[in-house]
Amino acid sequence: MPWIYLMIAIIGEVIGTSALKSTEGFTRFWPSATVIVGYAVAFYFLSLTVDKIPVGISYAIWSALGIVLVSLIAWILHGQALDRPAIAGMGLIIAGVLVCTLWSKSATHG
């Protein structure tokens, strides 16, 4: 279950962060509510995750996948460009997550 909780936390964070641009400085109600709910879901499920997966590993995966997914959503929805260095950097982030989750003895798989 902790890995499912972590995925829910990531989805909540990605939804909340992706809605930030649409809040226009928190002057629009629904995008602002989306941000608040997204972050509430993210932090609640992240708190459940760190009971079983070390906080450093949980946070590394949560933030890394959030960076990549938010960047992709910003590219699709807002037309924000991703140049080669940005794509390469995100590839390195993904590689780091894979190393942490597949080979690190710090990441529990239960």
Side-chain angles (χ1 to χ4, degrees):
M1 283 304 285
W3 292 100
I4 293 170
Y5 292 156
L6 183 56
M7 290 302 115
I8 294 169
I10 291 166
I11 291 166
E13 190 267 337
V14 167
I15 289 170
T17 303
S18 296
L20 272 173
K21 184 172 175 64
S22 299
T23 67
E24 296 178 11
F26 284 92
T27 60
R28 296 182 60 217
F29 178 77
W30 289 113
S32 299
T34 301
V35 170
I36 293 166
V37 170
Y39 284 141
V41 167
F43 284 110
Y44 174 73
F45 281 95
L46 187 61
S47 75
L48 297 178
T49 301
V50 298
D51 284 342
K52 301 290 182 191
I53 301 171
V55 69
I57 298 296
S58 298
Y59 187 72
I61 295 168
W62 180 72
S63 60
L65 292 178
I67 289 167
V68 172
L69 293 172
V70 167
S71 296
L72 292 173
I73 290 170
W75 174 60
I76 293 166
L77 295 181
H78 302 296
Q80 295 178 355
L82 294 174
D83 58 10
R84 285 189 182 128
I87 293 168
M90 284 187 245
L92 292 170
I93 290 169
I94 292 169
V97 168
L98 290 174
V99 167
C100 285
T101 57
L102 297 176
W103 295 294
S104 174
K105 292 182 180 168
S106 297
T108 59
H109 295 283

